[in-house]
PDB file of all heavy atoms in Angstrom:
ATOM      1  N   PHE G 165      57.541 167.942 130.151  1.00 93.00           N
ATOM      2  CA  PHE G 165      56.848 169.231 130.222  1.00 93.00           C
ATOM      3  C   PHE G 165      57.793 170.419 130.407  1.00 93.00           C
ATOM      4  O   PHE G 165      57.615 171.457 129.786  1.00 93.00           O
ATOM      5  CB  PHE G 165      55.822 169.215 131.363  1.00 93.00           C
ATOM      6  CG  PHE G 165      54.692 168.238 131.171  1.00 93.00           C
ATOM      7  CD1 PHE G 165      54.084 167.631 132.259  1.00 93.00           C
ATOM      8  CD2 PHE G 165      54.225 167.923 129.900  1.00 93.00           C
ATOM      9  CE1 PHE G 165      53.045 166.719 132.086  1.00 93.00           C
ATOM     10  CE2 PHE G 165      53.189 167.018 129.711  1.00 93.00           C
ATOM     11  CZ  PHE G 165      52.612 166.424 130.811  1.00 93.00           C
ATOM     12  N   ASP G 166      58.785 170.270 131.277  1.00 96.00           N
ATOM     13  CA  ASP G 166      59.583 171.422 131.683  1.00 96.00           C
ATOM     14  C   ASP G 166      61.077 171.126 131.565  1.00 96.00           C
ATOM     15  O   ASP G 166      61.649 170.476 132.452  1.00 96.00           O
ATOM     16  CB  ASP G 166      59.232 171.801 133.124  1.00 96.00           C
ATOM     17  CG  ASP G 166      59.932 173.076 133.590  1.00 96.00           C
ATOM     18  OD1 ASP G 166      60.716 173.644 132.811  1.00 96.00           O
ATOM     19  OD2 ASP G 166      59.688 173.482 134.742  1.00 96.00           O
ATOM     20  N   PRO G 167      61.742 171.595 130.505  1.00 96.00           N
ATOM     21  CA  PRO G 167      63.187 171.349 130.362  1.00 96.00           C
ATOM     22  C   PRO G 167      64.014 171.933 131.510  1.00 96.00           C
ATOM     23  O   PRO G 167      65.064 171.379 131.858  1.00 96.00           O
ATOM     24  CB  PRO G 167      63.528 172.042 129.039  1.00 96.00           C
ATOM     25  CG  PRO G 167      62.240 172.106 128.285  1.00 96.00           C
ATOM     26  CD  PRO G 167      61.190 172.292 129.329  1.00 96.00           C
ATOM     27  N   PHE G 168      63.567 173.046 132.099  1.00 97.00           N
ATOM     28  CA  PHE G 168      64.291 173.613 133.236  1.00 97.00           C
ATOM     29  C   PHE G 168      64.315 172.624 134.403  1.00 97.00           C
ATOM     30  O   PHE G 168      65.347 172.399 135.045  1.00 97.00           O
ATOM     31  CB  PHE G 168      63.656 174.937 133.676  1.00 97.00           C
ATOM     32  CG  PHE G 168      63.785 176.035 132.664  1.00 97.00           C
ATOM     33  CD1 PHE G 168      62.752 176.307 131.773  1.00 97.00           C
ATOM     34  CD2 PHE G 168      64.940 176.803 132.585  1.00 97.00           C
ATOM     35  CE1 PHE G 168      62.871 177.318 130.829  1.00 97.00           C
ATOM     36  CE2 PHE G 168      65.067 177.821 131.645  1.00 97.00           C
ATOM     37  CZ  PHE G 168      64.032 178.074 130.759  1.00 97.00           C
ATOM     38  N   HIS G 169      63.166 172.019 134.668  1.00 97.00           N
ATOM     39  CA  HIS G 169      63.072 171.011 135.725  1.00 97.00           C
ATOM     40  C   HIS G 169      63.923 169.796 135.377  1.00 97.00           C
ATOM     41  O   HIS G 169      64.643 169.267 136.246  1.00 97.00           O
ATOM     42  CB  HIS G 169      61.611 170.596 135.929  1.00 97.00           C
ATOM     43  CG  HIS G 169      61.432 169.416 136.837  1.00 97.00           C
ATOM     44  ND1 HIS G 169      61.327 168.120 136.346  1.00 97.00           N
ATOM     45  CD2 HIS G 169      61.350 169.337 138.194  1.00 97.00           C
ATOM     46  CE1 HIS G 169      61.167 167.294 137.365  1.00 97.00           C
ATOM     47  NE2 HIS G 169      61.181 167.994 138.485  1.00 97.00           N
ATOM     48  N   SER G 170      63.864 169.351 134.134  1.00 97.00           N
ATOM     49  CA  SER G 170      64.616 168.157 133.720  1.00 97.00           C
ATOM     50  C   SER G 170      66.112 168.358 133.923  1.00 97.00           C
ATOM     51  O   SER G 170      66.802 167.496 134.493  1.00 97.00           O
ATOM     52  CB  SER G 170      64.321 167.835 132.253  1.00 97.00           C
ATOM     53  OG  SER G 170      62.948 167.612 132.046  1.00 97.00           O
ATOM     54  N   PHE G 171      66.643 169.491 133.469  1.00 97.00           N
ATOM     55  CA  PHE G 171      68.075 169.742 133.608  1.00 97.00           C
ATOM     56  C   PHE G 171      68.467 169.923 135.077  1.00 97.00           C
ATOM     57  O   PHE G 171      69.551 169.477 135.490  1.00 97.00           O
ATOM     58  CB  PHE G 171      68.471 170.970 132.783  1.00 97.00           C
ATOM     59  CG  PHE G 171      68.891 170.644 131.375  1.00 97.00           C
ATOM     60  CD1 PHE G 171      67.963 170.237 130.427  1.00 97.00           C
ATOM     61  CD2 PHE G 171      70.220 170.730 130.987  1.00 97.00           C
ATOM     62  CE1 PHE G 171      68.342 169.933 129.126  1.00 97.00           C
ATOM     63  CE2 PHE G 171      70.615 170.430 129.688  1.00 97.00           C
ATOM     64  CZ  PHE G 171      69.673 170.030 128.755  1.00 97.00           C
ATOM     65  N   GLN G 172      67.618 170.549 135.864  1.00 98.00           N
ATOM     66  CA  GLN G 172      67.926 170.720 137.286  1.00 98.00           C
ATOM     67  C   GLN G 172      67.988 169.374 137.994  1.00 98.00           C
ATOM     68  O   GLN G 172      68.879 169.131 138.830  1.00 98.00           O
ATOM     69  CB  GLN G 172      66.872 171.611 137.941  1.00 98.00           C
ATOM     70  CG  GLN G 172      67.191 171.960 139.393  1.00 98.00           C
ATOM     71  CD  GLN G 172      68.467 172.774 139.513  1.00 98.00           C
ATOM     72  OE1 GLN G 172      68.574 173.870 138.977  1.00 98.00           O
ATOM     73  NE2 GLN G 172      69.459 172.232 140.221  1.00 98.00           N
ATOM     74  N   GLU G 173      67.076 168.478 137.654  1.00 98.00           N
ATOM     75  CA  GLU G 173      67.078 167.153 138.254  1.00 98.00           C
ATOM     76  C   GLU G 173      68.276 166.330 137.787  1.00 98.00           C
ATOM     77  O   GLU G 173      68.862 165.569 138.569  1.00 98.00           O
ATOM     78  CB  GLU G 173      65.767 166.421 137.929  1.00 98.00           C
ATOM     79  CG  GLU G 173      64.591 166.857 138.761  1.00 98.00           C
ATOM     80  CD  GLU G 173      64.779 166.508 140.224  1.00 98.00           C
ATOM     81  OE1 GLU G 173      64.540 165.342 140.596  1.00 98.00           O
ATOM     82  OE2 GLU G 173      65.200 167.390 140.987  1.00 98.00           O
ATOM     83  N   VAL G 174      68.636 166.469 136.532  1.00 98.00           N
ATOM     84  CA  VAL G 174      69.838 165.782 136.027  1.00 98.00           C
ATOM     85  C   VAL G 174      71.066 166.239 136.810  1.00 98.00           C
ATOM     86  O   VAL G 174      71.909 165.426 137.212  1.00 98.00           O
ATOM     87  CB  VAL G 174      70.011 166.055 134.517  1.00 98.00           C
ATOM     88  CG1 VAL G 174      71.419 165.712 134.064  1.00 98.00           C
ATOM     89  CG2 VAL G 174      68.987 165.244 133.714  1.00 98.00           C
ATOM     90  N   PHE G 175      71.175 167.542 137.019  1.00 98.00           N
ATOM     91  CA  PHE G 175      72.298 168.070 137.801  1.00 98.00           C
ATOM     92  C   PHE G 175      72.285 167.487 139.213  1.00 98.00           C
ATOM     93  O   PHE G 175      73.328 167.085 139.759  1.00 98.00           O
ATOM     94  CB  PHE G 175      72.216 169.597 137.857  1.00 98.00           C
ATOM     95  CG  PHE G 175      73.273 170.230 138.723  1.00 98.00           C
ATOM     96  CD1 PHE G 175      74.510 170.565 138.200  1.00 98.00           C
ATOM     97  CD2 PHE G 175      73.024 170.495 140.065  1.00 98.00           C
ATOM     98  CE1 PHE G 175      75.491 171.143 139.003  1.00 98.00           C
ATOM     99  CE2 PHE G 175      73.994 171.073 140.873  1.00 98.00           C
ATOM    100  CZ  PHE G 175      75.237 171.395 140.339  1.00 98.00           C
ATOM    101  N   ARG G 176      71.120 167.424 139.814  1.00 98.00           N
ATOM    102  CA  ARG G 176      71.005 166.976 141.211  1.00 98.00           C
ATOM    103  C   ARG G 176      71.486 165.548 141.408  1.00 98.00           C
ATOM    104  O   ARG G 176      72.179 165.241 142.395  1.00 98.00           O
ATOM    105  CB  ARG G 176      69.548 167.114 141.675  1.00 98.00           C
ATOM    106  CG  ARG G 176      69.314 166.698 143.120  1.00 98.00           C
ATOM    107  CD  ARG G 176      67.848 166.794 143.498  1.00 98.00           C
ATOM    108  NE  ARG G 176      67.003 165.857 142.775  1.00 98.00           N
ATOM    109  CZ  ARG G 176      66.883 164.561 143.057  1.00 98.00           C
ATOM    110  NH1 ARG G 176      67.577 164.015 144.055  1.00 98.00           N
ATOM    111  NH2 ARG G 176      66.071 163.793 142.355  1.00 98.00           N
ATOM    112  N   ILE G 177      71.136 164.642 140.503  1.00 98.00           N
ATOM    113  CA  ILE G 177      71.445 163.222 140.710  1.00 98.00           C
ATOM    114  C   ILE G 177      72.841 162.833 140.237  1.00 98.00           C
ATOM    115  O   ILE G 177      73.296 161.715 140.492  1.00 98.00           O
ATOM    116  CB  ILE G 177      70.401 162.328 140.011  1.00 98.00           C
ATOM    117  CG1 ILE G 177      70.480 162.460 138.490  1.00 98.00           C
ATOM    118  CG2 ILE G 177      69.002 162.634 140.529  1.00 98.00           C
ATOM    119  CD1 ILE G 177      69.566 161.501 137.732  1.00 98.00           C
ATOM    120  N   THR G 178      73.548 163.747 139.551  1.00 98.00           N
ATOM    121  CA  THR G 178      74.885 163.452 139.048  1.00 98.00           C
ATOM    122  C   THR G 178      75.934 163.759 140.111  1.00 98.00           C
ATOM    123  O   THR G 178      75.880 164.792 140.774  1.00 98.00           O
ATOM    124  CB  THR G 178      75.201 164.282 137.787  1.00 98.00           C
ATOM    125  OG1 THR G 178      74.182 164.070 136.817  1.00 98.00           O
ATOM    126  CG2 THR G 178      76.538 163.881 137.192  1.00 98.00           C
ATOM    127  N   ARG G 179      76.898 162.861 140.261  1.00 97.00           N
ATOM    128  CA  ARG G 179      77.988 163.104 141.194  1.00 97.00           C
ATOM    129  C   ARG G 179      78.914 164.191 140.665  1.00 97.00           C
ATOM    130  O   ARG G 179      79.087 164.306 139.441  1.00 97.00           O
ATOM    131  CB  ARG G 179      78.786 161.818 141.405  1.00 97.00           C
ATOM    132  CG  ARG G 179      78.060 160.776 142.241  1.00 97.00           C
ATOM    133  CD  ARG G 179      78.841 159.499 142.384  1.00 97.00           C
ATOM    134  NE  ARG G 179      78.100 158.557 143.212  1.00 97.00           N
ATOM    135  CZ  ARG G 179      78.108 157.242 143.038  1.00 97.00           C
ATOM    136  NH1 ARG G 179      78.841 156.707 142.071  1.00 97.00           N
ATOM    137  NH2 ARG G 179      77.409 156.455 143.838  1.00 97.00           N
ATOM    138  N   PRO G 180      79.519 164.981 141.529  1.00 97.00           N
ATOM    139  CA  PRO G 180      80.529 165.933 141.069  1.00 97.00           C
ATOM    140  C   PRO G 180      81.631 165.218 140.284  1.00 97.00           C
ATOM    141  O   PRO G 180      82.130 164.181 140.703  1.00 97.00           O
ATOM    142  CB  PRO G 180      81.070 166.517 142.383  1.00 97.00           C
ATOM    143  CG  PRO G 180      79.930 166.382 143.343  1.00 97.00           C
ATOM    144  CD  PRO G 180      79.249 165.096 142.987  1.00 97.00           C
ATOM    145  N   GLY G 181      81.964 165.767 139.125  1.00 97.00           N
ATOM    146  CA  GLY G 181      82.918 165.129 138.236  1.00 97.00           C
ATOM    147  C   GLY G 181      82.288 164.140 137.278  1.00 97.00           C
ATOM    148  O   GLY G 181      82.971 163.604 136.389  1.00 97.00           O
ATOM    149  N   GLY G 182      80.977 163.876 137.427  1.00 98.00           N
ATOM    150  CA  GLY G 182      80.286 162.927 136.565  1.00 98.00           C
ATOM    151  C   GLY G 182      79.965 163.500 135.202  1.00 98.00           C
ATOM    152  O   GLY G 182      80.133 164.695 134.941  1.00 98.00           O
ATOM    153  N   ARG G 183      79.501 162.632 134.314  1.00 98.00           N
ATOM    154  CA  ARG G 183      79.167 163.021 132.950  1.00 98.00           C
ATOM    155  C   ARG G 183      77.679 162.815 132.682  1.00 98.00           C
ATOM    156  O   ARG G 183      77.056 161.873 133.178  1.00 98.00           O
ATOM    157  CB  ARG G 183      79.971 162.207 131.935  1.00 98.00           C
ATOM    158  CG  ARG G 183      81.457 162.512 131.897  1.00 98.00           C
ATOM    159  CD  ARG G 183      81.719 163.933 131.426  1.00 98.00           C
ATOM    160  NE  ARG G 183      83.140 164.221 131.281  1.00 98.00           N
ATOM    161  CZ  ARG G 183      83.929 164.659 132.252  1.00 98.00           C
ATOM    162  NH1 ARG G 183      83.424 164.832 133.466  1.00 98.00           N
ATOM    163  NH2 ARG G 183      85.205 164.902 132.034  1.00 98.00           N
ATOM    164  N   ILE G 184      77.140 163.704 131.878  1.00 98.00           N
ATOM    165  CA  ILE G 184      75.735 163.651 131.476  1.00 98.00           C
ATOM    166  C   ILE G 184      75.679 163.578 129.958  1.00 98.00           C
ATOM    167  O   ILE G 184      76.317 164.385 129.266  1.00 98.00           O
ATOM    168  CB  ILE G 184      74.963 164.895 131.975  1.00 98.00           C
ATOM    169  CG1 ILE G 184      75.041 164.991 133.506  1.00 98.00           C
ATOM    170  CG2 ILE G 184      73.513 164.843 131.514  1.00 98.00           C
ATOM    171  CD1 ILE G 184      76.148 165.881 134.009  1.00 98.00           C
ATOM    172  N   PHE G 185      74.906 162.650 129.446  1.00 98.00           N
ATOM    173  CA  PHE G 185      74.770 162.441 127.998  1.00 98.00           C
ATOM    174  C   PHE G 185      73.320 162.695 127.614  1.00 98.00           C
ATOM    175  O   PHE G 185      72.419 161.968 128.038  1.00 98.00           O
ATOM    176  CB  PHE G 185      75.190 161.019 127.620  1.00 98.00           C
ATOM    177  CG  PHE G 185      76.578 160.664 128.076  1.00 98.00           C
ATOM    178  CD1 PHE G 185      76.799 160.135 129.349  1.00 98.00           C
ATOM    179  CD2 PHE G 185      77.672 160.872 127.247  1.00 98.00           C
ATOM    180  CE1 PHE G 185      78.082 159.816 129.777  1.00 98.00           C
ATOM    181  CE2 PHE G 185      78.958 160.568 127.658  1.00 98.00           C
ATOM    182  CZ  PHE G 185      79.162 160.038 128.931  1.00 98.00           C
ATOM    183  N   ILE G 186      73.097 163.733 126.827  1.00 98.00           N
ATOM    184  CA  ILE G 186      71.739 164.124 126.447  1.00 98.00           C
ATOM    185  C   ILE G 186      71.651 164.234 124.934  1.00 98.00           C
ATOM    186  O   ILE G 186      72.442 164.939 124.306  1.00 98.00           O
ATOM    187  CB  ILE G 186      71.353 165.471 127.098  1.00 98.00           C
ATOM    188  CG1 ILE G 186      71.333 165.333 128.630  1.00 98.00           C
ATOM    189  CG2 ILE G 186      70.002 165.945 126.587  1.00 98.00           C
ATOM    190  CD1 ILE G 186      71.011 166.620 129.360  1.00 98.00           C
ATOM    191  N   ASN G 187      70.696 163.531 124.356  1.00 96.00           N
ATOM    192  CA  ASN G 187      70.468 163.592 122.912  1.00 96.00           C
ATOM    193  C   ASN G 187      69.190 164.386 122.650  1.00 96.00           C
ATOM    194  O   ASN G 187      68.150 164.130 123.279  1.00 96.00           O
ATOM    195  CB  ASN G 187      70.338 162.190 122.332  1.00 96.00           C
ATOM    196  CG  ASN G 187      69.992 162.187 120.856  1.00 96.00           C
ATOM    197  OD1 ASN G 187      68.830 162.295 120.487  1.00 96.00           O
ATOM    198  ND2 ASN G 187      70.999 162.059 120.012  1.00 96.00           N
ATOM    199  N   LEU G 188      69.286 165.367 121.733  1.00 96.00           N
ATOM    200  CA  LEU G 188      68.135 166.220 121.428  1.00 96.00           C
ATOM    201  C   LEU G 188      68.088 166.530 119.938  1.00 96.00           C
ATOM    202  O   LEU G 188      69.137 166.620 119.279  1.00 96.00           O
ATOM    203  CB  LEU G 188      68.231 167.545 122.191  1.00 96.00           C
ATOM    204  CG  LEU G 188      68.035 167.500 123.708  1.00 96.00           C
ATOM    205  CD1 LEU G 188      68.469 168.808 124.336  1.00 96.00           C
ATOM    206  CD2 LEU G 188      66.599 167.173 124.064  1.00 96.00           C
ATOM    207  N   PRO G 189      66.881 166.734 119.380  1.00 94.00           N
ATOM    208  CA  PRO G 189      66.780 167.239 118.009  1.00 94.00           C
ATOM    209  C   PRO G 189      67.211 168.699 117.964  1.00 94.00           C
ATOM    210  O   PRO G 189      67.111 169.414 118.970  1.00 94.00           O
ATOM    211  CB  PRO G 189      65.296 167.069 117.673  1.00 94.00           C
ATOM    212  CG  PRO G 189      64.609 167.122 119.010  1.00 94.00           C
ATOM    213  CD  PRO G 189      65.552 166.503 119.995  1.00 94.00           C
ATOM    214  N   ASN G 190      67.679 169.135 116.810  1.00 95.00           N
ATOM    215  CA  ASN G 190      68.179 170.499 116.633  1.00 95.00           C
ATOM    216  C   ASN G 190      67.316 171.232 115.614  1.00 95.00           C
ATOM    217  O   ASN G 190      67.435 171.008 114.413  1.00 95.00           O
ATOM    218  CB  ASN G 190      69.643 170.472 116.174  1.00 95.00           C
ATOM    219  CG  ASN G 190      70.171 171.851 115.833  1.00 95.00           C
ATOM    220  OD1 ASN G 190      69.771 172.845 116.433  1.00 95.00           O
ATOM    221  ND2 ASN G 190      71.073 171.908 114.857  1.00 95.00           N
ATOM    222  N   ILE G 191      66.449 172.112 116.094  1.00 94.00           N
ATOM    223  CA  ILE G 191      65.576 172.846 115.180  1.00 94.00           C
ATOM    224  C   ILE G 191      66.340 173.915 114.399  1.00 94.00           C
ATOM    225  O   ILE G 191      65.825 174.491 113.437  1.00 94.00           O
ATOM    226  CB  ILE G 191      64.384 173.462 115.927  1.00 94.00           C
ATOM    227  CG1 ILE G 191      63.248 173.804 114.953  1.00 94.00           C
ATOM    228  CG2 ILE G 191      64.822 174.689 116.718  1.00 94.00           C
ATOM    229  CD1 ILE G 191      61.986 174.262 115.614  1.00 94.00           C
ATOM    230  N   GLY G 192      67.577 174.176 114.801  1.00 94.00           N
ATOM    231  CA  GLY G 192      68.397 175.125 114.063  1.00 94.00           C
ATOM    232  C   GLY G 192      69.080 174.528 112.851  1.00 94.00           C
ATOM    233  O   GLY G 192      69.812 175.229 112.139  1.00 94.00           O
TER     234      GLY G 192
END
Side-chain angles (χ1 to χ4, degrees):
F165 295 149
D166 185 358
F168 293 96
H169 171 265
S170 301
F171 269 72
Q172 186 63 61
E173 282 295 279
V174 164
F175 176 88
R176 181 183 66 79
I177 67 174
T178 305
R179 287 178 179 146
R183 291 295 184 273
I184 301 95
F185 305 88
I186 297 178
N187 176 276
L188 290 167
N190 174 33
I191 199 173

